[in-house]
């Protein structure tokens, strides 16, 4: 409820949690060490 109040919409909450999950996956897979376009896209740059 707090996150929903802070972000203001269900879509914003989904995006926030989704971004957090993607960050965890990229760290777990070690994508920071892979210099490929698809890996750079997933890790955000």
């Amino acid at each position: 409820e707090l996150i929903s109040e802070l972000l203001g919409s269900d879509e914003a909450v989904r995006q926030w949690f989704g971004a957090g999950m993607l960050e965890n996956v990229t760290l777990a897979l070690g994508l920071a060490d892979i210099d490929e376009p698809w890996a750079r896209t997933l890790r955000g740059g």
Side-chain angles (χ1 to χ4, degrees), residues 18-42:
M21 291 300 296
L22 181 58
E23 181 70 23
N24 286 329
V25 170
T26 58
L27 289 171
L29 294 176
L31 297 185
D33 300 328
I34 299 174
D35 189 25
E36 295 290 336
W38 63 268
R40 287 191 296 274
T41 297
L42 289 179

